[in-house]
Amino acid sequence: MSNVPVAVVTGSNKGIGFAIVRALCKQFPGDVYLTARDPGRGQEAVAKLQEEGLRPLFHQLDIDDLQSIRALRDFLKEKYGGLNVLVNNAGIAFKVHDTAPFAVQAEVTLKTNFFGTKNVCTELLPLMKPYGKVVNVSSMASSSALGGCSRELQQKFRSDTITEDELVELMTKFVEDTKKSVHEKEGWPTTAYGVSKIGVTVLSRIQARMLNEKRKGDHILLNACCPGWVRTDMAGPKATKSPDEGAETPVYLALLPSDADGPHGQFLSNKTVRTW
Ligand code: NAP
């Protein structure tokens, strides 16, 4: 088994994830895994970074596929005995003008952004080594979507006692409510992406609390963040930040020094803790 520290970035064959891998290859003292659901796209991305003189490693990972997540988990367990840095970056967004029914957009978006990310956490968080760092890439869209929720939902999503099961129930209810076209009446905003990222931010707050309760002595720091508005296939060419600039806050959180006792359980943008 290797004693080399290891970092994994989900959805890193392009966009912000690719830039996070690039930065980690330069700054993280260990093995950095670029992961992609499609091995061809993944290997192509690895080759691009190799041309820059960097040495990322590759592992397949489709966060929608539990078998794929578990294969990565078993690989990390066997080769490294755990994991030091996990960046949950993979995500999707329908384009504004997409004509797919809202209920379809809700189901598909929540499937990857919330349920996929949650499944990765369920399988990989137990592998986190002491002083490990977990970064969940959320979005400012989570804050604005929270503002568009009913008072009752806002209270639930801001609660310091909400459980992961309760959050899963709420995210499932959103999808069901869209299918019945009662989501607005039930207090939801009309943004599937925004609700999926509420899920990611609230999940991060819950997971940080669980780490405090169950693994206090291990000094693991877990946070959610927004990368900013970044020029990628998701956000388009008009966005204000380059992918490398978008990677800055996630990389800052992934490389917090081992003597740092925070941030933990926070939502950050531009390396600054934001009020949830
Ligand atoms: P992007 O260029 O579209 O890249 C998304 C990445 O996620 C791709 O590598 C994609 O792989 C991967 N992915 C999608 N579904 C996946 C799955 N099921 N399993 C594994 N990988 C999957 O988007 P981006 O702008 O870099 O976004 C990265 C993250 O930042 C997302 O979580 C996004 O919500 C968040 N974010 C972005 C912005 C922005 O302005 N760009 C703002 C706020 C938050 P494929 O190539 O196979 O599709």
Side-chain angles (χ1 to χ4, degrees):
M1 197 184 289
S2 168
N3 272 331
V4 173
V6 57
V8 168
V9 184
T10 71
S12 45
N13 54 287
K14 66 177 185 177
I16 298 163
F18 180 76
I20 293 171
V21 169
R22 175 190 278 131
L24 289 180
C25 282
K26 292 176 184 171
Q27 298 174 58
F28 177 73
D31 288 351
V32 180
Y33 279 83
L34 185 154
T35 67
R37 53 181 161 182
D38 181 86
R41 287 199 287 275
Q43 296 291 2
E44 234 173 80
V46 165
K48 254 192 235 168
L49 290 175
Q50 282 172 344
E51 279 168 27
E52 297 177 19
L54 302 172
R55 292 278 169 269
L57 299 163
F58 176 71
H59 203 284
Q60 194 272 346
L61 176 65
D62 181 345
I63 71 165
D64 290 345
D65 176 358
L66 206 47
Q67 267 190 341
S68 166
I69 299 172
R70 289 182 174 155
L72 176 63
R73 174 201 65 188
D74 294 346
F75 167 79
L76 291 168
K77 222 192 249 180
E78 197 178 325
K79 176 147 191 207
Y80 298 93
L83 178 60
N84 302 83
V85 167
L86 170 64
V87 183
N88 280 304
N89 163 81
I92 59 159
F94 281 80
K95 299 287 177 218
V96 182
H97 299 297
D98 197 296
T99 53
F102 188 61
V104 171
Q105 298 201 17
E107 182 154 43
V108 172
T109 307
L110 274 274
K111 183 180 174 183
T112 299
N113 294 5
F114 176 70
F115 291 100
T117 301
K118 180 190 75 71
N119 287 341
V120 172
C121 289
T122 302
E123 300 299 332
L124 297 191
L125 288 195
L127 261 63
M128 292 308 298
K129 292 189 176 181
Y131 299 94
K133 311 284 184 291
V134 182
V135 185
N136 294 332
V137 180
S138 184
S139 169
M140 288 304 277
S142 69
S143 308
S144 40
L146 181 67
C149 287
S150 65
R151 204 176 276 258
E152 193 190 334
L153 279 175
Q154 288 192 28
Q155 210 170 23
K156 288 182 181 168
F157 289 132
R158 289 201 174 100
S159 158
D160 288 326
T161 53
I162 184 174
T163 64
E164 192 170 311
D165 285 348
E166 286 166 347
L167 177 62
V168 165
E169 229 171 83
L170 283 166
M171 292 289 117
T172 306
K173 181 175 186 304
F174 169 68
V175 175
E176 293 309 313
D177 285 349
T178 63
K179 287 182 188 167
K180 292 182 270 178
S181 294
V182 296
H183 51 284
E184 284 178 83
K185 194 177 112 262
E186 292 294 311
W188 297 103
T190 45
T191 157
Y193 180 77
V195 172
S196 77
K197 292 299 190 179
I198 289 179
V200 174
T201 303
V202 176
L203 182 68
S204 309
R205 288 160 55 89
I206 296 168
Q207 288 168 339
R209 227 175 56 218
M210 290 300 111
L211 286 169
N212 290 346
E213 285 176 18
K214 298 195 173 136
R215 298 188 60 184
K216 188 71 187 163
D218 285 345
H219 306 280
I220 296 165
L221 297 178
L222 183 153
N223 293 285
C225 68
C226 176
W229 191 31
V230 184
R231 291 185 295 277
T232 62
D233 287 349
M234 181 181 288
K238 289 190 189 142
T240 46
K241 285 187 180 181
S242 69
D244 289 330
E245 288 166 337
E248 279 175 19
T249 296
V251 169
Y252 156 74
L253 290 170
L255 297 178
L256 287 168
S258 55
D259 60 355
D261 54 9
H264 177 58
Q266 303 291 337
F267 173 65
L268 293 89
S269 69
N270 285 329
K271 300 186 193 170
T272 306
V273 172
R274 306 291 168 187
T275 309
W276 176 244

